[in-house]
């Protein structure tokens, strides 16, 4: 669970501290993972988590608060300003998603990860 939520919290912490996100040479928002010290693109990372919980919502029949994640990811992707209210909403959503995750088995969480990986690959092929 830490591997899922910590990177997103690091992105939010940085935006709160500096009002900005790290960017690569092309201006794409990125973050450095504390797990492996590699740099990753922020918007796809956030959308990947939202995708997993969207699949979970469909499977469980329970709504998941992914709108705040999508909003921040879209703003980062398109270079729009992320407001403090966006950060607060995303933190609240992450708290809810973290609580939801506590009830998942390891096998179920792994199946969500596999479903997202398949979805990403299908989108890549069709693009």
């Amino acid at each position: 669970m830490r591997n899922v939520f910590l990177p997103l919290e690091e992105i939010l912490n940085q935006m709160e501290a500096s009002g900005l996100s790290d960017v690569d040479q092309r201006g794409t928002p990125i973050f450095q993972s504390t797990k492996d010290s590699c740099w990753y693109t922020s918007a796809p990372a956030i959308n990947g988590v939202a995708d997993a919980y969207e699949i979970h919502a469909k499977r469980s029949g329970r709504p998941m608060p992914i709108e705040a994640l999508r909003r921040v990811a879209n703003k980062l992707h398109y270079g729009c300003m992320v407001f403090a209210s966006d950060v607060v909403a995303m933190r609240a959503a992450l708290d809810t998603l973290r609580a939801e995750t506590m009830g998942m088995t390891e096998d179920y969480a792994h199946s969500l990860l596999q479903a997202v990986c398949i979805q990403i690959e299908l989108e890549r092929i069709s693009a």
Side-chain angles (χ1 to χ4, degrees), residues 5-125:
F5 294 104
L6 185 60
L8 303 185
E9 290 170 352
E10 290 172 347
I11 292 168
L12 295 175
N13 290 342
Q14 182 183 19
M15 286 190 289
E16 282 181 331
S18 68
L20 303 169
S21 174
D22 285 332
V23 294
D24 64 12
Q25 312 84 288
R26 297 168 294 171
T28 302
I30 56 174
F31 70 96
Q32 187 174 25
S33 170
T34 56
K35 180 181 177 190
D36 60 11
S37 296
C38 292
W39 289 89
Y40 297 95
T41 308
S42 299
I46 296 168
N47 274 325
V49 173
D51 290 345
Y53 285 94
E54 184 173 25
I55 292 167
H56 175 61
K58 289 175 184 171
R59 289 180 180 180
S60 68
R62 291 190 305 277
M64 297 291 127
I66 60 172
E67 299 82 16
L69 279 71
R70 298 263 192 233
R71 186 177 324 107
V72 170
N74 284 336
K75 286 184 172 192
L76 290 172
H77 178 76
Y78 291 107
C80 298
M81 179 175 253
V82 177
F83 297 105
S85 60
D86 297 322
V87 173
V88 169
M90 185 166 156
R91 282 200 190 277
L94 291 178
D95 288 344
T96 301
L97 297 176
R98 186 180 290 107
E100 184 70 22
T101 305
M102 296 301 288
M104 294 179 187
T105 66
E106 186 176 337
D107 287 341
Y108 180 77
H110 183 70
S111 76
L112 286 176
L113 176 61
Q114 286 180 319
V116 170
C117 289
I118 291 167
Q119 179 178 316
I120 290 168
E121 186 62 20
L122 289 173
E123 289 172 358
R124 187 189 67 76
I125 290 170

